[in-house]
Amino acid sequence: RKSTVVITGASSGVGLYAAKAFARRGWHVVMACRDLVKAEKAAQEVGIPKDSYTLMHIDLGSLDSVRQFVNNFRASGQSLDAVVGNAAIYMPLIKEPLRSPEGYELTMTTNHLGHFLLCKLLLEDLKKSPAADKRMVILGTVTHNPDELGGKIPPRPDLGELEGFVAGFKAPISMIDGKKFEPVKAYKDSKVCNVLTMRELHRRYHESTGITFTSLYPGCVAETPLFRNHYPLFQKLFPLFQKYITGGYVSQELAGERVAAVVIEPEYKQSGAYWSWGNRQKKEGKSFVQRVSPQARDDAKAERLWDLSEKLVGLA
Ligand code: NDP
């Protein structure tokens, strides 16, 4: 039996190259994407062998779609060995919040609530799987952490007391802290939520299920289309800046390899860990477990975020 991994957002960037890395290591990849035509084309362009992937539709910006994906996955009869929560949107230039069909702000829905629901539902499938080593990995980022150079640039993430979630997260509310809409902060907030979710999954389920829950910062993958909604000049200069000034630049290929390694390699079987290769990429640089930001390691916040997220996605 081939091992199977579900990767969200495998139609571009880190997710696409992670899919390629998994296929190369003999895994079957369920590419969970919102645009299947684009995903198919991308898979062929990077040379993923046809028999090593399945395309399945998911729109993480719609909670109904997430549920539908899980139903479809279950109906396909595959058993599940690993999940990679990778998809994300970053919309730095929008002035007004976009909304999910439920009426929630779209960046937080796509990056956090959609993955929260997906991970909670697929946990059941992982539990049932006969595999000895099962893992669930959510992508983090350095910008979640103001203790790091890459995380110091304002606006900084701040979940406040989760006032926006408490109030139901629908218009006029658009931010988790209930404050004024700020799209860059919404992205960073959502990535803090990703790390908190991973740590809370670990706290709640690692011991009873044996599943390994981790997060990683693969490096600054400056050439992915994540920055497609930024100014064109930014898109041109950012990779150069990361290559020659900060030294944080990582190719999409290498970032994909890192994701696959965290899911497959024995050295990454440490549940609750957040893996990093540092900000300056050195040749043969080694990964290490990094301390996450004060907000992202706040256990009380993780628990409250969990409860409120359950309510918003309709699980509580
Ligand atoms: P990309 O924009 O290249 O890829 C994002 C993927 O998510 C695409 O496949 C996109 O689909 C998909 N996606 C977006 N919205 C949805 C949705 N509603 N439903 C389903 N899929 C969706 O970005 P990256 O590869 O750079 O980012 C991947 C992850 O890596 C993110 O979690 C990001 O936070 C993280 N990361 C990235 C870093 C970087 O420097 N690039 C650094 C650290 C972390 P589509 O192709 O249809 O748009």
Side-chain angles (χ1 to χ4, degrees):
R1 185 181 78 86
K2 263 191 174 186
S3 300
T4 298
V5 59
V6 167
I7 309 180
T8 64
S11 55
S12 105
V14 177
L16 174 63
Y17 284 87
K20 185 180 178 185
F22 274 103
R24 227 172 27 77
R25 293 165 186 244
W27 279 54
H28 187 78
V29 186
V30 175
M31 298 172 67
C33 300
R34 61 177 167 178
D35 181 342
L36 299 187
V37 175
K38 177 179 176 183
E40 174 66 32
K41 198 163 161 259
Q44 284 179 22
E45 269 169 17
V46 300
I48 307 178
K50 272 236 175 259
D51 59 354
S52 48
Y53 66 90
T54 314
L55 298 171
M56 286 181 92
H57 183 263
I58 192 169
D59 178 356
L60 284 147
S62 156
L63 301 172
D64 279 346
S65 171
V66 172
R67 290 177 199 278
Q68 193 56 53
F69 168 83
V70 173
N71 291 340
N72 292 343
F73 176 76
R74 287 177 182 162
S76 77
Q78 305 174 70
S79 80
L80 186 63
D81 300 88
V83 177
V84 177
N86 163 80
I89 52 168
Y90 177 57
M91 312 285 264
L93 304 180
I94 58 174
K95 300 277 181 266
E96 294 296 328
L98 302 170
R99 298 274 167 191
S100 76
E102 298 79 17
Y104 302 146
E105 188 280 322
L106 195 60
T107 300
M108 183 57 87
T109 308
T110 308
N111 303 2
H112 166 58
L113 290 172
H115 279 117
F116 175 83
L117 178 59
L118 182 71
C119 289
K120 265 227 82 183
L121 296 174
L122 289 183
L123 192 59
E124 297 310 313
D125 302 79
L126 275 183
K127 281 189 204 162
K128 284 189 201 127
S129 151
D133 183 354
K134 308 177 231 192
R135 303 192 197 180
M136 191 174 260
V137 174
I138 309 179
L139 269 284
T141 175
V142 68
T143 49
H144 97 272
N145 192 351
D147 288 352
E148 295 273 321
L149 189 60
K152 287 198 194 306
I153 306 153
R156 295 186 182 184
D158 183 359
L159 308 189
E161 294 305 318
L162 314 179
E163 295 90 338
F165 272 16
V166 172
F169 207 48
K170 291 187 181 168
I173 290 157
S174 59
M175 300 294 285
I176 193 168
D177 61 4
K179 297 200 175 131
K180 196 173 154 279
F181 181 63
E182 216 304 14
V184 175
K185 181 174 174 295
Y187 171 78
K188 294 180 183 178
D189 287 348
S190 73
K191 299 308 287 183
V192 174
C193 291
N194 285 156
V195 179
L196 285 168
T197 300
M198 178 280 286
R199 296 185 72 250
E200 188 64 10
L201 279 163
H202 163 70
R203 197 182 69 79
R204 288 182 185 233
Y205 299 110
H206 173 62
E207 241 176 65
S208 59
T209 64
I211 299 168
T212 302
F213 301 96
T214 56
S215 209
L216 75 148
Y217 170 57
C220 183
V221 204
E223 276 157 354
T224 74
L226 185 67
F227 308 100
R228 64 172 89 70
N229 297 309
H230 218 306
Y231 296 112
L233 188 64
F234 175 89
Q235 294 179 36
K236 209 169 160 167
L237 296 181
F238 188 53
L240 297 171
F241 176 71
Q242 291 295 343
K243 255 184 205 165
Y244 301 111
I245 313 281
T246 70
Y249 173 86
V250 167
S251 70
Q252 302 187 75
E253 202 99 35
L254 180 56
E257 285 294 337
R258 287 176 173 178
V259 172
V262 167
V263 173
I264 299 173
E265 303 290 340
E267 63 183 287
Y268 297 103
K269 199 174 179 226
Q270 181 182 332
S271 191
Y274 178 90
W275 294 98
S276 173
W277 283 258
N279 287 318
R280 292 194 150 266
Q281 303 296 320
K282 301 182 194 88
K283 256 210 151 72
E284 308 298 321
K286 280 254 173 288
S287 55
F288 54 92
V289 175
Q290 193 171 36
R291 200 154 111 118
V292 297
S293 77
Q295 281 191 90
R297 60 174 189 263
D298 180 338
D299 292 340
K301 196 159 266 180
E303 210 172 331
R304 279 195 75 217
L305 177 72
W306 182 277
D307 292 342
L308 290 166
S309 301
E310 271 191 333
K311 279 203 187 110
L312 292 178
V313 303
L315 286 176

